């Protein structure tokens, strides 16, 4: 990256930071809040049409997501993979890639970690070494998987949105091919799975809670990636490429390398989510890995406006929604897919709200007033 | 002939022929819908949602009314509804049509799963196939040639759409809107209106494609009914270079790839079932990698399209 650093004028980031920064931030918060309120109203109308009470619904979501210590821990447990898959969408988005393949990278990463664990566990390797190898395998597998979509984009001009989704289906097929074939544990009769890694190898919970370590790793990674994207030459070059690829090329930036690198970081994040699903939740790879975390992560990243730090609270919000799903199902007799409907409404309204940016005068910095 | 009819190769080919015709029908409808939308210069990645919602609505309406064709119509209307939302939201300034497509995919499938819970168990009247292979006297061939009328509707539609684009004023307006919005404006055409109508109509076709999934093949409603066919159709349109007739051929090719897995099962090869099932995705990826930047693709692509830039 040395030649890249030389190509960028040193004053460029500072010049952007000079203006008042509260204005745009307040605008983002206001518009996102407005979008969430509008979604809640639309979903309430939907509930009223089908004869359910919106008030009960939101009370139950609060109760099931944050109401008790138990439910909050359940929320955090579900937020952990969402932080990682949210990052997996947000990082490539900064360089202008719309990659929706986190689900596939999660599955292939989780599967790779479970597969590599089989010889290690049977030969009695120490748990710490096994876990380290498993995590590396998951990140490498996931990273290579999405790097392929990034490379296809750069080298062949293949639309990355479509290719990353196709790779997701291929990843799921690969996992089932092995889990129901060569790597199937004969003991798993009803639900074909790989050999369990065993309780002594599995990552425990954060002491004093029932939340696994994936949450803290996710938060730390969100912080690290924020620094990478906002405070380093690499991040600046990536954002410049996202804003104007031709200008980046003209500046002599290694656009191809940047694109593939951002795609690989995304896959590594999602692969890590798969690793935690295997090493902390299920103990083996099976159909439970295909749980839709990758797809919810897209929505998380959009709501966080592709900011790695904002991904964390948004992921917790959606973790709460998922955690409350069971309670809503039992108490109100609504199918668990009602959460999917709510997510879909939030998603569409949120994207429609993009049109509001720059319209209200009060958010504009004084110098820029046109 | 009779000796050949008993061989495994014959069974495989017949199973693939029948499979290609069956599997290609939903591809054809979604691809034609996407083709119409993209010709107007907008992309709709959310047709997967239309497909799933259409499948669910068609099954439910067919169950309640006893008429599968009413179900097909209702499926089209549900697709029209989703397409209209997509068309309206994308009309707003500063809104990204690819992202909205992903959101509509989530919304459409979520709505279908929600509304479809009560219809997983009951069985609804299905669309009757036309037996075209009785004369051969070979049961397996007769079964493969029992073709659903929607297949022929799709082909007629492709021919009609091709004629529409080439020979009508409306077709010219749609093509101009897709190639150059300023030129369309200079003609006095409302670009937003044309794109809105093209997106809504494209959504209608994708909904009809969904009805085939639940009312003909596989022929029942469940949540795993569609696995990316709606998105593969978008890739298919690029491969077909925005030509309705070529969309039909491409749909048949994709259908044949999708039929490999079940056809191998028919001759008793169960090993690698999941591998063969992944064939259509791998094929799509290879086709996109080889065709995305070809000379022809650049020439035939609508100029306003964000996905080929």
């Amino acid at each position: 990256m040395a030649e890249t650093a030389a190509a960028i004028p040193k004053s460029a980031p500072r010049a952007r930071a000079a203006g008042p920064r509260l204005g745009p931030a307040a605008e983002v918060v206001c518009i996102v809040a407005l979008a969430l309120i509008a979604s809640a109203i639309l979903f309430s109308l939907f509930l009223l049409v089908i004869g359910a009470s919106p008030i009960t619904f939101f009370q139950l979501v609060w109760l099931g997501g944050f109401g008790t210590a138990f439910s909050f821990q359940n929320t955090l447990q579900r937020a952990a993979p969402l932080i990682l898959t949210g990052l997996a969408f947000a990082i490539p988005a900064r360089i202008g890639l719309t990659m929706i393949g986190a689900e596939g990278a999660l599955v292939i990463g989780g599967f790779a970690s479970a597969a590599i664990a089989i010889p290690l566990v049977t030969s009695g390797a120490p748990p710490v070494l096994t876990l380290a190898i498993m995590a590396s395998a998951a990140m490498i597998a996931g990273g290579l998987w999405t790097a392929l979509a990034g490379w296809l984009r750069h080298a062949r001009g293949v639309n990355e949105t479509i290719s990353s989704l196709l790779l997701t289906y291929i990843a799921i097929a690969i996992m089932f091919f092995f889990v129901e074939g060569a790597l199937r544990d004969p003991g798993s009769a009803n639900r074909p799975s790989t050999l369990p890694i065993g309780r002594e190898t599995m990552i425990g919970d954060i002491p004093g809670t029932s939340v696994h370590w994936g949450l803290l790793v996710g938060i730390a990674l969100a912080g690290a990636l924020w620094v990478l994207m906002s405070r380093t030459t690499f991040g600046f070059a990536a954002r410049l490429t996202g804003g104007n690829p031709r200008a980046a090329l003209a500046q002599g930036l290694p656009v191809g390398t940047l694109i593939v690198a951002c795609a690989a970081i995304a896959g590594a994040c999602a692969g890590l989510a798969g690793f935690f699903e295997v090493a902390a939740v299920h103990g083996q790879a099976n159909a439970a890995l295909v749980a839709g975390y990758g797809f919810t992560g897209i929505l998380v990243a959009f709501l966080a406006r592709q900011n790695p730090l904002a991904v964390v609270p948004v992921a917790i919000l959606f973790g709460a929604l998922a955690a409350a799903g069971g309670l809503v199902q039992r108490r109100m007799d609504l199918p668990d897919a009602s959460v999917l409907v709510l997510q879909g409404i939030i998603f569409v309204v949120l994207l429609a709200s993009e049109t509001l940016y720059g319209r209200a005068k009060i958010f504009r910095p004084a110098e820029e007033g046109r | 002939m009779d000796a050949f009819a008993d061989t495994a190769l014959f069974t495989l080919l017949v199973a693939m022929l029948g499979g290609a015709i069956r599997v290609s029908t939903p591809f054809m409808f979604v691809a034609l819908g996407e083709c119409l939308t993209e010709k107007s210069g907008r992309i709709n990645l959310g047709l997967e949602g239309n497909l799933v919602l259409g499948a669910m609505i068609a099954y439910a309406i067919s169950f309640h009314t006893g008429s599968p064709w009413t179900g097909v119509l209702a499926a089209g209307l549900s697709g029209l509804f989703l397409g209209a939302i997509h068309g309206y939201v994308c009309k707003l300034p500063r809104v990204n049509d690819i992202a909205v497509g992903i959101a509509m995919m989530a919304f459409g499938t979520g709505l279908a799963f929600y509304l479809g819970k009560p219809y997983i168990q009951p069985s609804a009247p299905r669309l009757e196939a036309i037996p075209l292979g009785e004369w051969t006297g070979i049961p397996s061939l007769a079964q493969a040639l029992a073709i659903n009328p929607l297949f022929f509707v799709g082909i007629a539609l492709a021919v009609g759409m091709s004629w529409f684009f080439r020979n009508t004023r409306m077709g010219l307006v749609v093509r101009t809107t897709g190639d150059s919005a300023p030129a369309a404006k200079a003609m006095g055409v409302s670009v937003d209106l044309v794109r809105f109508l093209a997106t809504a109509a494209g959504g209608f076709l994708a909904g009809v494609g969904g009805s085939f999934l639940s009312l003909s093949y596989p022929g029942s409603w469940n949540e795993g009914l569609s696995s990316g066919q709606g998105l593969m159709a978008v890739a298919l349109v690029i491969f077909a270079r925005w030509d309705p007739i070529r969309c039909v051929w491409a749909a048949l090719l994709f259908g044949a790839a999708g039929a490999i897995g079940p056809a191998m099962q028919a001759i008793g090869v169960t090993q690698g079932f999941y591998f063969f099932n992944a064939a259509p995705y791998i094929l799509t990826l290879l086709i996109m990698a080889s065709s995305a930047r070809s000379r022809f693709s650049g020439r035939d692509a609508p100029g306003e399209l964000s996905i080929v830039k």
Side-chain angles (χ1 to χ4, degrees), chain B residues 155-199:
Chain B
I155 290 178
L157 199 70
V159 174
M161 203 190 264
S162 177
W163 181 83
F164 166 80
F165 281 137
R166 232 174 311 126
N167 297 325
T168 65
R169 187 188 144 77
M170 282 281 285
L172 181 67
V173 166
V174 172
R175 281 191 294 144
T176 311
T177 313
D179 275 330
S180 162
K185 276 198 193 112
M187 274 166 72
V189 171
S190 164
V191 172
D192 283 341
L193 182 68
V194 170
R195 290 192 182 156
F196 174 78
L197 293 177
T199 314

Side-chain angles (χ1 to χ4, degrees), chain B:
Chain B
M1 183 67 198
D2 281 342
F4 180 61
D6 289 333
T7 61
L9 181 66
F10 179 78
T11 318
L12 180 72
L13 288 176
V14 167
M16 276 189 65
L17 171 73
I21 292 171
R22 278 195 300 268
V23 179
S24 67
T25 310
F27 275 130
M28 208 189 308
F29 277 94
V30 181
L32 289 174
E34 183 70 28
C35 183
L36 178 61
T37 307
E38 290 192 13
K39 275 278 191 191
S40 79
R42 175 163 296 148
I43 185 136
N44 185 355
L45 281 188
L47 292 185
E48 176 79 9
N50 297 36
L51 195 74
V52 177
L53 186 65
M56 182 263 134
I57 295 282
Y59 201 71
I61 297 295
S62 171
F63 174 71
H64 285 301
T65 65
S67 153
W69 286 101
T70 316
V72 173
L73 184 69
L77 292 177
S78 74
L80 185 78
F81 167 69
L82 289 182
I85 297 180
H86 186 279
Y88 180 78
V89 172
C90 290
K91 199 162 65 91
L92 303 168
R94 300 167 61 98
V95 171
N96 175 346
D97 52 1
I98 290 185
V100 173
I102 301 170
M104 290 306 295
M105 188 156 51
F107 178 61
T109 41
L111 201 59
F113 289 180
Y114 178 85
L115 298 173
K117 282 281 177 211
Y119 299 102
I120 293 178
Q121 284 297 333
S123 79
R126 297 166 50 175
L127 289 168
E128 291 298 325
I130 309 170
L132 292 175
E134 298 287 338
W135 54 273
T136 57
I138 304 168
S140 64
L141 201 56
Q143 199 200 350
L145 289 176
I147 297 172
N148 194 286
L150 272 180
F151 179 75
F152 299 109
V153 174
I155 290 178
L157 199 70
V159 174
M161 203 190 264
S162 177
W163 181 83
F164 166 80
F165 281 137
R166 232 174 311 126
N167 297 325
T168 65
R169 187 188 144 77
M170 282 281 285
L172 181 67
V173 166
V174 172
R175 281 191 294 144
T176 311
T177 313
D179 275 330
S180 162
K185 276 198 193 112
M187 274 166 72
V189 171
S190 164
V191 172
D192 283 341
L193 182 68
V194 170
R195 290 192 182 156
F196 174 78
L197 293 177
T199 314
F204 181 91
L205 294 181
V208 171
S211 73
F212 181 88
L213 286 177
S214 62
L215 294 180
S216 177
Y217 179 81
S220 67
W221 159 249
N222 66 67
E223 295 182 353
L225 201 54
S226 167
S227 45
Q229 279 103 320
L231 253 132
M232 284 158 72
V234 179
L236 193 154
V237 175
I238 300 173
F239 173 56
R241 285 184 271 130
W242 298 272
D243 179 302
I245 304 291
R246 281 199 290 257
C247 279
V248 172
W249 294 114
L252 279 168
L253 178 70
F254 277 55
I260 292 177
M264 292 300 265
Q265 267 196 326
I267 60 166
V269 180
T270 51
Q271 194 70 36
F273 175 70
Y274 286 99
F275 179 74
F276 290 119
N277 268 2
Y281 309 115
I282 297 171
L283 176 76
T284 313
L285 211 52
L286 289 178
I287 283 176
M288 285 183 75
S290 59
S291 69
R293 222 170 239 178
S294 77
R295 196 159 41 88
F296 297 111
S297 182
R299 194 185 60 195
D300 294 337
E304 293 274 320
L305 218 54
S306 56
I307 202 162
V308 289
K309 274 178 190 162

Side-chain angles (χ1 to χ4, degrees), chain A residues 117 120-121 125-131 134 196-204 275 279-280:
Chain A
L120 293 167
V121 169
V128 177
L129 179 71
T130 308
L131 285 174
M134 283 172 71
I197 62 170
R199 191 156 286 278
E200 58 280 7
T201 312
M202 279 177 75
I203 299 187
F275 161 73

Side-chain angles (χ1 to χ4, degrees), chain A:
Chain A
M1 295 305 292
E3 69 275 22
T4 316
I8 299 169
K10 279 225 173 87
S11 60
R14 212 163 291 152
R16 223 180 113 255
R21 300 169 74 185
L22 201 68
E27 181 179 30
V28 168
V29 170
C30 285
I31 291 178
V32 167
L34 207 65
L36 285 178
I37 292 169
S39 315
I41 293 172
L42 281 175
F43 186 66
S44 301
L45 289 176
F46 173 76
L47 287 177
L48 286 174
V49 167
I50 59 164
S53 157
I55 297 170
T56 320
F57 178 85
F58 288 108
Q59 271 175 347
L60 285 177
V61 167
W62 176 258
L63 192 69
F66 304 104
T68 63
F70 171 79
S71 58
F72 188 55
Q73 289 186 4
N74 189 1
T75 294
L76 292 179
Q77 182 94 9
R78 288 167 191 266
L82 291 180
I83 295 175
L84 291 166
T85 53
L87 290 172
F89 184 87
I91 301 302
R94 297 305 282 272
I95 199 167
L97 299 180
T98 312
M99 299 238 305
I100 55 176
E103 184 87 3
L106 186 153
V107 167
I108 208 81
F111 167 70
S113 66
I116 211 164
I118 295 173
L120 293 167
V121 169
T122 46
S123 68
V128 177
L129 179 71
T130 308
L131 285 174
I133 293 176
M134 283 172 71
S136 318
M139 289 174 73
I140 292 169
L144 288 177
W145 200 249
T146 45
L148 179 60
W151 178 80
L152 281 172
R153 163 79 214 203
H154 178 69
R156 303 290 318 158
V158 175
N159 179 273
E160 75 284 357
T161 311
I162 297 171
S163 69
S164 59
L165 193 85
L166 292 172
L167 282 169
T168 295
Y169 290 114
I170 297 173
I172 294 171
I174 289 177
M175 185 193 71
F176 278 121
F177 177 70
F178 284 109
V179 165
E180 297 198 1
L183 294 180
R184 178 174 180 171
D185 172 27
S188 58
N190 293 326
R191 186 170 214 181
S193 307
T194 57
L195 190 74
I197 62 170
R199 191 156 286 278
E200 58 280 7
T201 312
M202 279 177 75
I203 299 187
D205 294 331
I206 301 168
T209 68
S210 60
V211 184
H212 65 73
W213 286 98
L215 180 73
L216 286 187
V217 171
I219 293 173
L221 205 56
L225 287 175
W226 180 80
V227 171
L228 179 73
M229 296 312 282
S230 314
R231 290 290 179 270
T232 66
T233 317
F234 173 85
F236 180 71
R239 283 182 290 131
L240 185 68
T241 309
N244 188 339
R246 282 191 191 174
L249 270 176
Q251 284 290 328
L253 291 180
V255 170
T257 315
L258 287 168
I259 285 179
V260 174
C262 281
I265 291 173
C269 289
L272 205 56
F275 161 73
F276 278 108
E277 286 300 295
V278 168
V281 182
H282 304 297
Q284 53 192 188
N286 56 30
L289 280 179
V290 192
Y293 285 125
F295 293 118
T296 311
I298 302 170
L299 179 52
V300 168
F302 265 111
L303 201 54
R305 293 189 64 78
Q306 334 296 2
N307 180 335
L309 287 184
V311 160
V312 176
V314 175
I316 292 174
L317 186 71
F318 280 96
L321 208 56
L327 191 67
V328 169
Q329 198 179 355
R330 281 193 306 274
R331 293 270 190 89
M332 297 179 72
D333 200 26
L334 286 175
D336 50 358
S338 55
V339 172
L340 293 180
V341 176
L342 177 57
Q343 285 184 358
I345 290 178
I346 295 177
F347 210 157
V348 176
V349 172
L350 187 73
L351 289 170
S353 77
E354 295 273 327
T355 190
L356 296 175
Y357 285 93
R359 289 211 184 167
K361 275 207 177 99
I362 50 165
F363 295 124
R364 268 187 219 152
E367 296 98 323
E368 277 183 36
R370 270 166 275 178

